[in-house]
Amino acid sequence: MAAVLSGPKLLKQGRLFMSIKIKLGMAILLLILGTMAVGFFNWLNVHSVHELSSEAALWGEIDMMMNEDVHQPLLVINADICRYVAKPDRAAAMQIQNKIRKLSKNIDTWLGLAPGITEFQSLGKTLKQQVSDIARMFGQMTTITDTAQLSAQAEQIYSLQDHIADELEKFMENFIDPQKEALTVKIDNKLAEMVDIGLVINIACLLLGIVIFFLIALKICIPLQKLGKYMLLVASGNFIVEGLDKIRSRDEIGQLAIGLKTLVSTMNLLS
């Protein structure tokens, strides 16, 4: 007479016993791990895009400050000096000197945006020296009374201001604009990569889900259906049941099949 084997007995006989709970738990764990992998991948890519966007925003701020806090004030000072040459005035001279000092502070603030960029810091130091030269030359202008000498001194300042404007324009064309364009390309490529790899991962997770579904159907649902049919036959009084040996699940379903086979054998002996 056959005996129903428990999980430990199956293990002693060398047959791997794996509970349905364990199978379902492993399936759920695989789905959770897949979801976590997708989430972790998305976090990495979002973090990378955020860093690139932050760097692009920094260069945008450098560009904006260069125009608003350096180039535009320089043009205003140029126009004020032109008016001063036409009509020297002590109050106007003090205003121009204040604007020059403010321009120097603006350059310090501008340089503070990116202390680690060598080219940027080098340009900033050069600009500060040139603004200091403008302040010195304008200070000399305030002591000049001769109109011809005043105009000649102003021309030197205009020439220096033009040189500063040219350096700013070259820096923008040769450094800032290429940096912004390169970062834009990197961000676009990263976003495209996120879409492509994300699509692959989502398809892989979908396929994994389908495989898990079919494995559950194959290892749990189909054996249960077969076992249910055999139990209906036994319930109807048919104790000649063939095919129970085909149910070889190494879990609770397999134990039920063994138990049903034992029951059928017992009933046949009694009859």
Side-chain angles (χ1 to χ4, degrees):
M1 182 181 297
V4 179
L5 298 178
S6 63
K9 290 182 179 179
L10 288 172
L11 287 174
K12 287 180 180 179
Q13 292 188 6
R15 296 175 61 187
L16 177 61
F17 179 81
M18 183 176 290
S19 170
I20 293 176
K21 292 181 181 179
I22 296 177
K23 291 181 179 179
L24 292 175
M26 291 179 63
I28 294 172
L29 180 61
L30 284 174
L31 290 175
I32 292 174
L33 289 176
T35 304
M36 290 178 62
V38 172
F40 182 68
F41 166 77
N42 289 332
W43 178 83
L44 285 178
N45 281 285
V46 168
H47 182 68
S48 178
V49 171
H50 176 70
E51 287 184 344
L52 292 173
S53 299
S54 298
E55 189 176 351
L58 172 63
W59 283 108
E61 190 174 359
I62 289 173
D63 188 4
M64 182 186 68
M65 284 194 66
M66 186 180 73
N67 285 316
E68 295 182 358
D69 295 342
V70 180
H71 191 225
Q72 292 298 327
L74 194 64
L75 295 177
V76 171
I77 291 171
N78 193 324
D80 289 345
I81 291 176
C82 287
R83 286 191 289 270
Y84 179 83
V85 171
K87 187 179 179 180
D89 179 78
R90 182 174 179 80
M94 291 181 64
Q95 289 181 355
I96 292 172
Q97 288 172 336
N98 288 334
K99 289 179 180 179
I100 293 173
R101 283 193 288 269
K102 184 178 180 181
L103 175 58
S104 181
K105 291 180 180 179
N106 288 348
I107 293 174
D108 287 333
T109 304
W110 186 50
L111 291 175
L113 291 176
I117 301 177
T118 305
E119 297 85 348
F120 181 53
Q121 294 297 319
S122 177
L123 172 67
K125 291 178 182 179
T126 302
L127 291 180
K128 282 208 66 176
Q129 181 60 48
Q130 291 171 336
V131 170
S132 177
D133 291 341
I134 290 175
R136 176 181 54 78
M137 293 167 69
F138 182 75
Q140 293 173 354
M141 280 183 64
T142 59
T143 63
I144 297 174
T145 56
D146 182 73
T147 303
Q149 291 182 358
L150 194 63
S151 298
Q153 185 76 356
E155 286 297 329
Q156 293 181 13
I157 295 177
Y158 300 153
S159 177
L160 184 55
Q161 288 175 328
D162 290 340
H163 180 68
I164 293 175
D166 289 340
E167 287 186 341
L168 290 174
E169 185 176 353
K170 288 179 181 178
F171 184 72
M172 178 179 291
E173 292 178 354
N174 299 330
F175 199 79
I176 293 181
D177 288 344
Q179 288 288 338
K180 291 167 66 177
E181 291 174 4
L183 286 170
T184 301
V185 171
K186 286 182 180 179
I187 291 173
D188 291 341
N189 291 339
K190 197 65 179 179
L191 290 173
E193 180 183 349
M194 285 176 62
V195 172
D196 293 340
I197 299 180
L199 181 62
V200 172
I201 291 179
N202 288 330
I203 292 175
C205 288
L206 177 62
L207 293 176
L208 177 62
I210 293 173
V211 170
I212 291 174
F213 171 78
F214 279 106
L215 286 176
I216 291 175
L218 182 64
K219 298 295 183 180
I220 298 176
C221 298
I222 294 176
L224 277 176
Q225 287 179 349
K226 291 180 180 179
L227 190 58
K229 291 179 181 179
Y230 294 142
M231 293 180 73
L232 287 175
L233 289 173
V234 173
S236 65
N238 183 2
F239 300 124
I240 303 176
V241 179
E242 298 178 355
L244 278 174
D245 292 335
K246 294 181 180 179
I247 300 177
R248 298 178 180 177
S249 300
R250 296 174 183 177
D251 51 25
E252 290 86 351
I253 297 174
Q255 287 185 298
L256 283 174
I258 294 173
L260 182 59
K261 183 179 179 181
T262 303
L263 175 62
V264 170
S265 299
T266 302
M267 295 302 293
N268 286 328
L269 289 174
L270 293 176
S271 61

